[in-house]
Amino acid sequence: MECVSSLSSQEALIVSYTTLVAAVLSLLGASFMIVNYLLFSQGKGISKIVIFLAISDFGWAAVEVIAYSIIISRPELYTTKLCHLFRLLWQFFSGSSVFWTLCISIYLYYNISSLGQENGCVPSSVLNFIFHAISWGLPIIISLVVWRFDLFEDFPGLHICVLREPYHMILWSGPILLAMLFTAFTYCILIKLFLKHSLFTNPTSPQHSNSTPSGKNSLIFRVAMYLLVFVVCWTPSMTSYFIQYWSKCVIFPLVLVSEALLQLQGAFDCLVYGLTNKQLRSHYSNPLHGLLTFLFSPILIIPSLVTYIRRRSILADSRKYKILSQSREASNESK
């Protein structure tokens, strides 16, 4: 592959169209996950983490769709200030997606390593607070630092902004690399835990449950697939970055593949969400129903949110009524 310092205009256009198509697919995938969570999920366990990963993927894809639509159709409107704004938004949402994936790694390790250890576990509310602080707080801090000190520069040949060195390494590539290393570390620990707890049991057995070893095995598979998507989508991008960092070469095929896979993370997360969620598949026994929901999911988010709020309100009222009825019964018995 030829080593050049910048992409040609034709290569940049191909990358832009590829990125736009991939971002649209991720926008649909993330929307599909959000809609189905609002309509069907009970909001327990790993689903409470995955939904925020989907929200991050949605914001990330939406930013890319808007940005590349302008770049392709009206490049003269894509000013330096607008480029910086989209970079900050992209930095925040894609960064939060990375950190939510990191939290999934932590959740997986914590959930399995605490098997059979009921005492001394961190409450789920505390764990969720930590996850939110990491996944929203760190991207906000990084984005504010980038904006305050104006750490932008143009990517060679593309109408996009990146961070100039050494800040790109410190504030972007470094944290992502650490997240990938922790993911690899999690897999190594899991192999040890598999052997220790004998988790390789048949998940289709009658005793299968999320509270049993076989249920843990099913949970591990589901969560590990999200981690696999993260590694697959980010590895080419990190490879392209380090090649460019050390050799100053921009390799078009690698840039094209890395951009395509990077923008497809939301679509791949949706694929994992569908394939590993038996309850979701039961709702879409008709493939046409599932396809139409997928295609129109971005405009279904608001109605689904309204339905979710109403359902939560009804559940809250029913709990209050139940508590009130129990207190009245207790009062009558005491009389």
Side-chain angles (χ1 to χ4, degrees), residues 275-325:
L275 292 177
T276 61
N277 193 323
K278 185 177 180 180
Q279 181 184 9
L280 180 66
R281 295 197 303 272
S282 67
H283 286 295
Y284 297 106
S285 55
N286 185 344
L288 181 61
H289 180 204
L291 178 61
L292 290 176
T293 305
F294 176 80
L295 293 176
F296 291 98
S297 55
I299 62 176
L300 294 175
I301 290 179
I302 299 301
S304 301
L305 180 60
V306 172
T307 301
Y308 175 80
I309 293 173
R310 288 178 177 175
R311 186 180 66 184
R312 298 283 292 186
S313 177
I314 292 173
L315 289 174
D317 290 341
S318 64
R319 290 193 190 99
K320 291 180 181 178
Y321 178 78
K322 184 177 180 180
I323 293 173
L324 182 61
S325 299

Side-chain angles (χ1 to χ4, degrees), residues 119-293:
N119 299 322
C121 293
V122 179
S124 59
S125 58
V126 175
L127 203 60
N128 287 332
F129 176 81
I130 294 173
F131 288 164
H132 282 281
I134 293 173
S135 302
W136 301 123
L138 289 180
I140 288 176
I141 293 173
I142 293 174
S143 298
L144 288 176
V145 170
V146 171
W147 170 75
R148 176 63 181 83
F149 296 100
D150 193 19
L151 305 179
F152 307 99
E153 68 176 9
D154 295 332
F155 185 91
L158 287 177
H159 296 284
I160 61 173
C161 301
V162 295
L163 305 186
R164 65 175 184 266
E165 297 298 347
Y167 305 106
H168 194 289
M169 174 69 75
I170 297 172
L171 298 175
W172 186 242
S173 298
I176 293 173
L177 184 59
L178 290 176
M180 294 179 70
L181 291 175
F182 185 84
T183 301
F185 168 77
T186 303
Y187 275 112
C188 293
I189 295 296
L190 286 177
I191 292 174
K192 180 180 177 180
L193 292 172
F194 280 147
L195 299 175
K196 180 178 179 180
H197 295 296
S198 301
L199 294 180
F200 287 118
T201 58
N202 181 13
T204 62
S205 62
Q207 294 80 17
H208 176 64
S209 167
N210 279 340
S211 61
T212 64
S214 59
K216 295 285 185 178
N217 194 31
S218 178
L219 173 66
I220 290 170
F221 174 76
R222 181 182 181 187
V223 177
M225 290 301 294
Y226 289 109
L227 305 184
L228 180 62
V229 166
F230 169 66
V231 172
V232 169
C233 290
W234 282 93
T235 297
S237 179
M238 296 298 292
T239 303
S240 177
Y241 164 73
F242 281 109
I243 289 176
Q244 185 180 350
Y245 179 81
W246 293 110
S247 65
K248 308 302 179 185
C249 289
V250 178
I251 303 173
F252 168 65
L254 185 56
V255 171
L256 182 63
V257 171
S258 63
E259 283 297 312
L261 286 177
L262 197 60
Q263 306 307 327
L264 283 171
Q265 178 172 312
F268 288 149
D269 283 338
C270 177
L271 184 63
V272 172
Y273 183 77
L275 292 177
T276 61
N277 193 323
K278 185 177 180 180
Q279 181 184 9
L280 180 66
R281 295 197 303 272
S282 67
H283 286 295
Y284 297 106
S285 55
N286 185 344
L288 181 61
H289 180 204
L291 178 61
L292 290 176
T293 305

